[in-house]
């Protein structure tokens, strides 16, 4: 999870709840809270190996990132491709 505006503690609580649910279902699960900018995320910064399965939910973050209609750099699509 990407923490913004002092969300880190709330997100840690979410991670703990998801961890308990995964344990109950006997599913391997790891939840990390990072405090870097969304556009700068990489598998390495998240501590993921290339063979790790990575699920990302940016539903409430991507709509604020500029796309090709705003910037020729298109940071939204660059993040999605990475």
């Amino acid at each position: 999870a990407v923490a913004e505006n002092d969300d880190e503690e709330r997100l840690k609580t979410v991670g703990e709840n998801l961890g308990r649910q995964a344990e109950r279902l006997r599913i391997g699960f790891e939840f990390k809270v990072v405090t870097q900018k969304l556009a700068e995320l990489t598998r390495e910064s998240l501590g993921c190996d290339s063979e790790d399965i990575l699920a990302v939910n940016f539903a409430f973050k991507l709509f604020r990132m500029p796309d090709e209609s705003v910037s020729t750099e298109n940071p939204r699509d660059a993040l999605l491709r990475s």
Side-chain angles (χ1 to χ4, degrees):
V2 178
E4 294 178 329
N5 306 323
D6 301 325
D7 285 341
E8 193 168 350
E9 286 304 313
R10 182 179 62 83
L11 290 172
K12 284 181 180 178
T13 302
V14 169
E16 290 167 3
N17 289 336
L18 290 171
R20 283 192 292 274
Q21 183 72 357
E23 187 176 303
R24 186 177 71 75
L25 296 170
R26 296 186 176 138
I27 298 171
F29 178 78
E30 185 176 349
F31 186 89
K32 293 183 181 185
V33 177
V34 295
T35 56
Q36 67 191 92
K37 292 181 181 179
L38 189 64
E40 297 171 356
L41 287 179
T42 63
R43 289 182 78 82
E44 293 78 24
S45 69
L46 295 173
C48 296
D49 292 329
S50 60
E51 67 272 359
D52 287 342
I53 296 171
L54 177 63
V56 181
N57 180 348
F58 292 140
F60 299 109
K61 305 280 184 189
L62 286 180
F63 77 94
R64 288 188 251 148
M65 289 189 78
D67 63 5
E68 71 277 355
S69 68
V70 177
S71 168
T72 56
E73 294 175 7
N74 197 354
R76 184 200 64 191
D77 288 355
L79 175 65
L80 290 172
R81 282 190 301 274
S82 69

